[in-house]
Amino acid sequence: MYGRDPWGGPLEINAADSATDDDRSRNLNDLDRAALSRPLDETQQSWLLGPAEQKKKKKYVDLGCIIVSRKIFVWTVGSIVAAGLLVGLITLIVKTVPRHHHSHAPADNYTLALRKALMFFNGQRSGKLPKHNNVSWRGSSCLSDGKGKQGSFYKDLVGGYYDAGDAIKFHFPASFSMTMLSWSVIEYSAKYEAAGELNHVKELIKWGADYFLKTFNSSADTIDRIVAQVGSGDTSGGSTTPNDHYCWMRPEDIDYDRPVTECSSCSGLAAEMAAALASASIVFKDNKAYSQKLVHGAKTLFKFARDQRGRYSVGGSEAAIFYNSTSYWDEFIWGGAWLYYATGNNSYLQLATMPGLAKHAGAFWGGPDYGVLSWDNKLAGAQLLLSRLRLFLSPGYPYEEILRTFHNQTSIIMCSYLPIFTKFDRTKGGLIELNHGRPQPLQYVVNAAFLATLFSDYLGAADTPGWYCGPNFYSTDVLRDFAKTQIDYILGKNPRKMSYIVGFGNHYPKHLHHRGASIPKNKIRYNCKGGWKWRDTSKPNPNTLVGAMVAGPDGHDGFHDVRTNYNYTEPTIAGNAGLVAALVALSGDKTTGIDKNTIFSAVPPMFPTPPPPPAPWKP
């Protein structure tokens, strides 16, 4: 019988073989035993036993759905295992080895100084302090402010900020301070976020705004008076009555009476407070209920300012001595502009752009202090704020003419800051003398640095590379350079190599004119005169008021680190607010720029009104 060999040849099967299966099995077993008794050569093994049962590695691996080369499979699996071990090793190193938490590039000097400058406001807080205030030597203070007076329009006046090195709460410079902080947040929220300070600065603004809401009947639509000041500092005529200037005490230890000064005709103050609340409402626009509360308060204050005209600092008031307001027309423009941005109500824009108002505010003439932004004169800030409207929304008629004037005047002010035009003198060290050699210059310098950087960023956001000073065109970089040189001077690049910000750098004022910083927190309560020894000692302050910008050097770059001379060593919240604004504007990446749209969030879409038709022609 022939079968088919699977390899193609015939396969013969002898059917006559009578051997049974058992016999064959026995014979094979005998053969196997015989094979084990003596060695077989390779040919015999192949013939008798078939292929040798050597464990040869298969060249391929059957994975079920695919057959792959064993070599590739081994390399692949090995690579995966090795990669896993490497990743695990790296993870172990990252988890166990100490590392710095700053994954970004090191912060620049402006960012470092910004963080400290904001801390100054924590040190100036009045009232019941939050647990996270982070100024170890400060505590809750003046918790009886405004309490106990029956029939008054306020319930209490606890909170707010102390103005400077004393414990008086002057609402005129304080409201300007909050407006400046809010403006800087509206323009540069991304930079605050990058510096990790956005929540901090918003908390500081809210601390001030909440206090201002206590100083008048903020739930009413119409009011007839507001609080202008808490505390007293008049020592004229040799008065020895205990007050916030005569006594040298920690705020936490104050036990003398703190009078409340009310005002029924104070347009500049009320309009500035309206600006503070209106700008803050934009900062907190995501908190609708709180924002609307601020807007309502701002409207009420501005109406009061317009209805009951008068300067808040008249006669022999303390306001006239310490924070005299020269006029209220600039606050009308300033407050009107902020209320327009906060509400979108055109009536505020119409008011802010009235030519008569601008004329009274001095918008069309120069003068030695033209272009100097301060707690007293907001014209330069108001003109820039309204130039913003023209640059980005261009409302057209009937606002275009006055907005163009404000824009042109702003350009002239920016030109006046440049050294080439010598409008303002400079010290040999390069500090611009915006107050013409008078004391306490730094508060004006930081405001100018902020305005210059902001105008530069406005032009950049409008795709404009520069602006004209007369026939000459200047790049926006020139403005930023001006701002940098001035802030760098304050940070220590000056003839004395001294930082004028406490706690910044290695060499800064150690004898700050500041009661809380100069008296140790040693569980001893020093009375009104008992603290004089700390005022008059030549030893450095026991407490460091981090971020406080002092009043500054004199016109010869000279500085006396003496506690008793406030013209050199006293800080103010108005000065520090401008410093914070300038620092955040210069901080971080230049390409970040401003936030173009947030300030316009309440402004309706602009559809310019066409001008009226010309009168009929007559021959």
Side-chain angles (χ1 to χ4, degrees), residues 116 499 501-505 508-509 544-548:
K116 294 182 183 295
S499 162
I501 300 176
V502 174
F504 184 84
Y508 53 81
T544 303
L545 183 54
V546 174

Side-chain angles (χ1 to χ4, degrees), residues 427 431 438-442 489 496 500 550-560 567-568:
T427 67
L431 185 70
R438 296 191 293 269
Q440 307 172 27
L442 296 188
Y489 181 103
R496 297 184 64 86
Y500 291 113
V550 296
D554 57 32
H556 304 285
D557 299 304
F559 182 80
H560 300 290
N567 279 330
Y568 287 109

Side-chain angles (χ1 to χ4, degrees), residues 521-563:
K521 184 181 180 182
N522 55 8
K523 297 183 179 180
I524 298 175
R525 181 186 171 280
Y526 298 95
N527 61 23
C528 179
K529 294 183 180 180
W532 288 4
K533 70 174 184 178
W534 298 109
R535 177 193 64 190
D536 300 331
T537 181
S538 60
K539 294 180 180 179
N541 287 351
N543 306 312
T544 303
L545 183 54
V546 174
M549 183 182 74
V550 296
D554 57 32
H556 304 285
D557 299 304
F559 182 80
H560 300 290
D561 189 7
V562 179
R563 189 177 297 107

Side-chain angles (χ1 to χ4, degrees), residues 283-327:
V283 171
F284 294 103
K285 67 183 181 66
D286 293 335
N287 183 345
K288 190 172 182 179
Y290 183 62
S291 181
Q292 286 302 313
K293 186 177 182 180
L294 295 174
V295 167
H296 182 269
K299 289 179 178 178
T300 300
L301 284 166
F302 199 69
K303 183 177 185 300
F304 168 67
R306 295 283 295 162
D307 290 347
Q308 296 181 218
R309 304 280 183 93
R311 287 193 306 121
Y312 96 106
S313 54
V314 292
S317 66
E318 289 198 0
I321 300 171
F322 300 113
Y323 285 101
N324 184 45
S325 174
T326 51
S327 83

Side-chain angles (χ1 to χ4, degrees), residues 120-199:
F120 168 74
F121 288 91
N122 293 54
Q124 293 299 105
R125 280 177 169 170
S126 177
K128 185 172 177 56
L129 301 187
K131 292 181 180 179
H132 58 276
N133 195 51
N134 296 331
V135 181
S136 61
W137 47 272
R138 279 301 322 278
S140 297
S141 60
C142 296
L143 301 179
S144 298
D145 280 358
K147 291 183 178 180
K149 186 176 179 181
Q150 298 297 322
S152 61
F153 59 87
Y154 51 84
K155 294 179 180 178
D156 73 79
L157 296 168
V158 177
Y161 292 98
Y162 299 126
D163 170 64
D166 50 46
I168 306 176
K169 294 187 287 195
F170 290 107
H171 298 168
F172 191 47
S175 50
F176 172 72
S177 303
M178 293 303 106
T179 308
M180 289 294 286
L181 289 183
S182 292
W183 194 6
S184 70
V185 171
I186 292 165
E187 302 287 10
Y188 296 109
S189 59
K191 290 192 173 186
Y192 274 113
E193 186 75 61
E197 293 291 338
L198 182 59
N199 290 334

